[in-house]
Amino acid sequence: MSGHGDPVPMMARKGGALTGEAHVPGDKSISHRSLILGAMAVGETRITGLLEGQDVLDTAKAMRAFGAEVTRDDDGTWHVHGVGTGGFAEPEDVIDCGNSGTGVRLIMGAMATTPITVTFTGDASLRSRPMARVTDPLALFGCRSVGRAGGRLPMTLVGAAEPLPVRYTVPVPSAQVKSAVLLAGLNAPGQTVVIEAEATRDHTERMLAGFGAEITTEVTDEGRVITLTGRPELKPQTITVPRDPSSAAFPVCAALITEGSDVLVPNIGLNPTRAGLFETLIEMGADLTYENPREEGGEPVADLRARYSPDMKGVEVPPARAASMIDEYPILSVVAANAEGPTVMCGVKELRVKESDRIAAMADGLRACGVQVEDGPDWWIVHGRGMGGVKGGATCATHLDHRIAMSFLCLGLSTREPVGVDDGGPIATSFPIFEGLMRDLGAEIERG
Ligand code: S3P
């Protein structure tokens, strides 16, 4: 599955129980940040457990283009020889970030305060996504940019020669925007301050502290006020990437809706800024438990055990929880379709500007499978049909969106008729082993 080649039609059907252990890959957010901060440190950072999905491989390639040496041992250990804060060289060619919003937005931040000129592009999905949310705050540092109408890629950024520190309140809940500003602040003198009204994933803050930057977070009436002191010498690190809760979501939810299932998903990062889905599933009545909770590399980790849960009920998901499960609404809607009663999801307009418009993509496919869905600009309601009550029998469009593809394939494990997707190729961006892992658990997922 390339994510960039010919479409890969796939199909899932109801079969036997899912059982066994699901070893999901490394966290995508932490993997991007490990490579980028490794490239901005002086010396060699070693990374194990890196997600080797296309999104992260595109970021590795970009870091090489900026002058960092990035290599992989046969045992899967990655080495990044960084060039230091402000040490990025001007790439000789266009930086193609493929499907990855995180990759392009974080790299824009990382180069914005170095006087180099860089042109960015990506696939059709990424070229349709808004970049002004990042280039607007980067302009405050003195970084210029020009792109297509609506702030779309391809786009060229000219990094600031004499950057100024910035105080910026992030207008939408976005860890990518917050992180871009913090990475730009690394090469600005003085203190850069980012304020976010709602807490979003805090991997950048945690990792910057780990690399030796001076960074503090204060919780005030305005929200979280994050202060970074510019021009630190980042010290190379040894990083073990925890496994991705956003990938764990798929085998967990598939087990909840597949009769007789009992699946263990070990070593999942449960940073509170990422664990909103699991909290919601437990509220719905899911038989989901955290086993062996512990701390690893400064992050809370546990083994998740998910068992078939035929009596789940629809819930109203608190909008305040949205940021901690923003990538998990598509798979939640699949569980919601198999629960009794409505599941109400509000305060989620960001879903409309992800790899696809995720509310539209899921609503269309769920309706085609016989599920009633209502939606508005920043909300949607899935009317559950009870366990096993969804007809299926449709081929759903995935719009170059990995999470839409995986969500509909999980749905097909519970429906009366099989569910197809027009293109499973993009799954390789975040979860390249999805198909084999699900089949090993017993899922009937096939190509064609
Ligand atoms: C991410 C932040 C989120 C999330 C994305 C990864 C990150 O995007 O949807 O998959 O690693 O910072 P936004 O910042 O657009 O909310």
Side-chain angles (χ1 to χ4, degrees), residues 177-186 194 204-205 208 215 226 228:
V177 175
K178 169 178 69 177
S179 301
V181 176
L182 289 172
L183 293 174
L186 279 175
V194 187
T204 304
E205 297 93 301
L208 277 169
I215 182 164
I226 304 150
L228 171 73

Side-chain angles (χ1 to χ4, degrees), residues 34-98:
S34 304
L35 291 169
I36 295 170
L37 283 178
M40 299 176 88
V42 178
E44 183 189 325
T45 288
R46 288 161 153 263
I47 311 166
T48 53
L50 189 85
L51 165 64
E52 295 180 347
Q54 193 57 45
D55 278 9
V56 175
L57 297 178
D58 287 336
T59 289
K61 194 169 160 210
M63 291 304 102
R64 288 189 192 107
F66 283 100
E69 197 184 305
V70 183
T71 55
R72 179 191 189 275
D73 293 343
D74 291 343
D75 70 358
T77 305
W78 286 71
H79 304 261
V80 183
H81 288 265
V83 293
T85 306
F88 277 174
E90 186 168 272
E92 286 182 13
D93 206 343
V94 171
I95 299 296
D96 186 344
C97 290

Side-chain angles (χ1 to χ4, degrees), residues 98-426:
N99 191 251
S100 181
T102 307
V104 75
R105 292 180 176 135
L106 266 55
I107 297 169
M108 282 178 169
M111 57 77 42
T113 46
T114 300
I116 54 175
T117 299
V118 185
T119 301
F120 293 92
T121 193
D123 70 5
S125 157
L126 193 58
R127 279 185 273 111
S128 73
R129 298 180 66 187
M131 294 299 144
R133 55 176 54 202
V134 172
T135 52
D136 286 352
L138 297 183
L140 304 174
F141 288 96
C143 173
R144 289 178 291 134
S145 62
V146 57
R148 288 192 306 131
R152 311 280 191 231
L153 301 177
M155 187 170 252
T156 298
L157 269 64
V158 181
E162 290 178 23
L164 303 165
V166 155
R167 183 181 178 90
Y168 189 68
T169 301
V170 183
V172 288
S174 168
Q176 292 174 359
V177 175
K178 169 178 69 177
S179 301
V181 176
L182 289 172
L183 293 174
L186 279 175
N187 198 35
Q191 293 192 322
T192 285
V193 180
V194 187
I195 301 152
E196 58 176 5
E198 287 171 52
T200 63
R201 65 192 69 194
D202 61 357
H203 307 302
T204 304
E205 297 93 301
R206 286 177 189 243
M207 206 179 275
L208 277 169
F211 273 80
E214 208 181 303
I215 182 164
T216 58
T217 300
E218 229 186 310
V219 181
T220 70
D221 291 347
E222 280 179 288
R224 283 151 54 106
V225 179
I226 304 150
T227 306
L228 171 73
T229 303
R231 307 239 160 112
E233 184 174 305
L234 298 180
K235 296 185 184 51
Q237 297 298 299
T238 298
I239 299 171
T240 305
V241 179
R243 295 171 192 260
D244 198 327
S246 298
S247 296
F250 296 102
V252 162
C253 290
L256 299 178
I257 61 173
T258 304
E259 198 169 345
S261 296
D262 184 348
V263 169
L264 187 70
V265 192
N267 289 319
I268 300 306
L270 289 174
N271 180 317
T273 61
R274 297 288 298 281
L277 170 74
F278 304 126
E279 213 178 316
T280 305
L281 293 171
I282 290 166
E283 282 174 13
M284 294 173 82
D287 186 350
L288 173 63
T289 48
Y290 297 168
E291 297 186 353
N292 192 17
R294 57 206 182 270
E295 188 143 313
E296 273 175 20
E299 298 268 355
V301 168
D303 306 331
L304 301 182
R305 181 175 289 279
R307 296 187 180 90
Y308 178 56
S309 304
D311 299 318
M312 288 185 284
K313 310 259 180 303
V315 292
E316 191 164 337
V317 184
R321 196 182 290 160
S324 70
M325 53 178 288
I326 196 66
D327 291 333
E328 281 67 73
Y329 283 94
I331 188 64
L332 175 65
S333 71
V334 166
V335 175
N338 276 294
E340 289 290 346
T343 291
V344 180
M345 297 166 276
C346 296
V348 291
K349 72 170 183 299
E350 280 295 299
L351 290 181
R352 297 213 179 262
V353 290
K354 294 294 177 188
E355 284 82 332
S356 67
D357 176 341
R358 286 184 169 160
I359 297 178
M362 289 310 300
D364 287 350
L366 286 170
R367 286 177 189 133
C369 289
V371 181
Q372 192 200 338
V373 181
E374 296 171 72
D375 74 296
D378 71 341
W379 59 270
W380 51 320
I381 301 172
V382 174
H383 293 271
R385 300 191 59 87
M387 192 56 66
V390 181
K391 178 173 158 292
T395 298
C396 304
T398 58
H399 304 280
L400 286 178
D401 190 330
H402 53 132
R403 298 199 200 283
I404 301 299
M406 290 186 278
S407 296
F408 282 123
L409 291 171
C410 291
L411 177 68
L413 303 176
S414 70
T415 47
R416 294 199 292 274
E417 296 170 27
V419 173
V421 295
D422 63 344
D423 185 12

Side-chain angles (χ1 to χ4, degrees), residues 18-29:
L18 305 184
T19 53
E21 291 193 7
H23 295 273
V24 304
D27 190 282
K28 181 154 72 72
S29 294

